[in-house]
Structures are given as structure tokens and as C-alpha cells.
Amino acid sequence: MPGEMEGELEAVVRILVQNKWPWRLHATYDETISRALDVFEKVNQDMPLDGLHWFFDHAETISERSIDRVAALGGGIAVQHRMAYQGEYFVERYGTAAAEATPPVARMLAKGARTSAGTDATRVASYNPWVALSWLVTGRTVGGLRMTPQRNCLDRETALRMWTENVTWFSNEEGKKGRIEVGQLADLIVPDRDYFSCAEAEIADTTSDLTIVGGKVVYGASEFKSLDRSPPPPAMPDWSPVRSFGGYGAWKETSAKPSLKMQAMQMCGCANGCAVHGHDHARAWSSGLPVSSLKDFWGALGCACWAV
């Protein structure tokens, strides 16, 4: 980051705090996070951040010291499963040891920092929450590489709470949703398998048999199909892999397995080659060649969703 970053960021943060506006700052590397925290701590001295729901997105290489600083200021960290898709490249570039806690989700929770889970779809990864849950629990990429040792993985309940209860603080909706209880929004699903007892290898393949939003059935399958009165229209755009292969990952169940390029497009989430990510899907997936620059790895602006 340029030398003037702190001064410019401080001016913005003071306006946000003065108006009691929450904010989120996308940052991949601790080198950026630690400098932003210098600014937040400076502002907090005369304009307390108390009650503001501010947080960092991503934070793959956040240090333990920075986690402590986030927790002390009452902030949060929203993590995504980008490493489930880019893990092999990360290991090749930085080594196995560096990848063992990237991001250090278990340490974030242990240190008391507010932590939630998400996908960063559709720019960097799939929107599918079950793939993210699988990554949190197993520590494996979608390609099967075990990146995270067991000590840094989460149990299934903790991972699920990151996707439900924990998220509500980040959206300032605590007590409104995130739990199945009286007084909260009736947004829930009935999965096609028992998430808590199925084999770890099956978590990512979970789908919904029944989806309820606001107390109304919006999707039904299997024994609940008769409740689905208004099925969704075909996926857009017309070239979406979902149209050809029947849903997320359903190409595995067909005899016509898609090409390597199509698989790469499905996995990436951006659906085709794009100038911002800087990567060539077909080349990378068919040849196994490593990325050659940080732009290729994290995207043109540092995290591929306008981050640094």
C-alpha cells in the first residue's frame, strides 16, 4: 500500500464513526490489515468505535497480534473459502507450513474475535455454502489436497454456527435470524442428508430438499416436491453449466463429463476467463502450470474482489 494510505483511510473512518456507519474493509494480507488497525486504533482514542459493526473481509494471512487487536476494538473478521479453490497454488507459492492456517479461523474463534463464514461468490469461488462448510471441517480443497491440519479445522457445529448465528452480527440482524426459534425469521432448509453424521467426503454434495423463506416454501424436491408450486426458471445466462449438468456439481452424475475448461469455469465462480482475475482457466487446469504472479493468484487488485 502507498505511504499516504493511513492519512486517507483515517479521514474516511472518522466520517464513518461520526455518522455511526458500519464498514467492511477487504484485505488479504496482514501487511495491509496491521496498517489499517493502526488507523482504527488512532481514531478510537478520541472517537470510540463502540457499537459499530466493522470488520475485515478475507484476512487469509492475518497474524495473531492483529487478531487480538481486532478483538480488542470490538471488530470482526468475515472469512471465505477462497483457499478451497486456490489452495494448491498457495502451497506451491508459499509452502505447506504457510497454508496450515490460511486463514487461521480456529485461532480467530479461540481469541474471541467475531468471526463469520461466507463464499466470496461469484467472483472467486462457488456460492455453494456446503463446499465452504466442507472446507472448514475437513481442511481440504475441492481438489482433495489436505491443507489444514486437524488442529486448525472446525467441528461441524462450530462451522455451521459461523454460517448462521455468527453472520447476524455482521449484518446487524442479531435476534432476527440465524436460529430456529420463536420470533426469528422463518428462513430454513431441510437438507438431503444429516450434516452432523454423514461422511466428511459427502458434506460438499449436500443439497436442499425443502427451502423456506419468510415462512413460505420456495423450493421443494424429493418428498417435498409437491409443495413447490413455483419452480425457478432455467438458470441464466444460457451458457450456464447448471443448464447442462443439472445443478451444482451434478456433472459428476452424467455420462457426458465436461471438459477441463468447463470444470475450471464451474469451480472458479467467475464462469469464464476474465481480465480482473488475471488467470487463464483453460491453461492452468489443463497443464497444471503454477501461477506466475500475485495478480494471477489473488487477482489484479490483490484479492480479486477489489481488495488489497
Side-chain angles (χ1 to χ4, degrees):
M1 296 295 292
E4 62 269 21
M5 185 271 278
E6 281 83 354
E8 294 180 353
L9 180 59
E10 180 181 346
V12 172
V13 171
R14 287 189 177 278
I15 292 174
L16 296 173
V17 177
Q18 180 180 2
N19 289 280
K20 301 299 181 182
W21 291 336
W23 72 86
R24 58 195 302 173
L25 194 156
H26 292 237
T28 294
Y29 300 104
D30 190 63
E31 289 82 351
T32 303
I33 294 170
S34 60
R35 290 178 62 182
L37 286 169
D38 291 341
V39 174
F40 297 169
E41 289 171 344
K42 180 180 179 181
V43 173
N44 184 63
Q45 291 176 358
D46 59 289
M47 300 179 69
L49 308 185
D50 298 343
L52 286 179
H53 294 213
W54 65 269
F55 56 95
F56 289 103
D57 267 298
H58 315 312
E60 274 84 2
T61 69
I62 189 172
S63 66
E64 296 219 2
R65 170 61 181 144
S66 291
I67 297 173
D68 289 335
R69 295 170 72 187
V70 171
L73 286 172
I77 305 169
V79 301
Q80 295 84 28
H81 69 319
R82 302 193 300 178
M83 294 304 294
Y85 293 87
Q86 303 183 30
E88 284 83 356
Y89 289 159
F90 190 92
V91 170
E92 186 169 355
R93 179 179 293 279
Y94 298 112
T96 302
E100 288 187 350
T102 305
V105 182
R107 294 300 296 155
M108 294 174 189
L109 293 168
K111 286 176 170 290
R114 299 182 185 274
T115 311
S116 70
T119 68
D120 206 21
T122 56
R123 294 184 56 79
V124 180
S126 164
Y127 60 86
N128 191 319
W130 299 104
V131 178
L133 284 163
S134 175
W135 167 73
L136 289 169
V137 171
T138 68
R140 295 183 182 275
T141 68
V142 294
L145 174 66
R146 178 66 181 266
M147 289 184 56
T148 310
Q150 191 60 47
R151 67 180 182 276
N152 292 332
C153 292
L154 304 183
D155 63 82
R156 300 189 194 201
E157 181 176 339
T158 299
L160 187 60
R161 288 184 185 278
M162 284 183 62
W163 264 91
T164 52
E165 282 186 314
N166 293 18
V167 174
T168 61
W169 180 86
F170 291 76
S171 60
N172 200 19
E173 294 176 294
E174 292 174 290
K176 298 179 181 178
K177 62 184 191 179
R179 296 176 59 91
I180 300 176
E181 64 180 35
V182 175
Q184 297 206 14
L185 296 176
D187 299 343
L188 55 98
I189 72 157
V190 177
D192 68 345
R193 67 201 68 192
D194 188 341
Y195 162 73
F196 291 102
S197 64
C198 71
E200 286 188 349
E202 296 180 5
I203 294 175
D205 296 325
T206 303
T207 60
S208 173
D209 277 349
L210 178 68
T211 303
I212 299 175
V213 178
K216 298 180 180 180
V217 174
V218 296
Y219 174 78
S222 188
E223 62 185 292
F224 302 105
K225 188 173 181 62
S226 62
L227 301 177
D228 191 351
R229 304 296 175 83
S230 56
M236 295 178 65
D238 294 345
W239 47 258
S240 170
V242 175
R243 284 191 174 222
S244 301
F245 304 108
Y248 181 85
W251 55 267
K252 297 178 182 178
E253 303 170 5
T254 69
S255 57
K257 189 173 182 179
S259 65
L260 284 171
K261 182 175 182 179
M262 181 64 77
Q263 292 181 42
M265 288 163 60
Q266 283 180 277
M267 289 297 201
C268 172
C270 74
N272 52 20
C274 59
V276 174
H277 283 196
H279 51 219
D280 182 334
H281 296 295
R283 179 189 67 80
W285 276 70
S286 61
S287 67
L289 294 174
V291 293
S292 57
S293 69
L294 288 175
K295 175 182 174 183
D296 291 341
F297 188 78
W298 287 119
L301 300 177
C303 90
C305 59
W306 318 111
V308 285

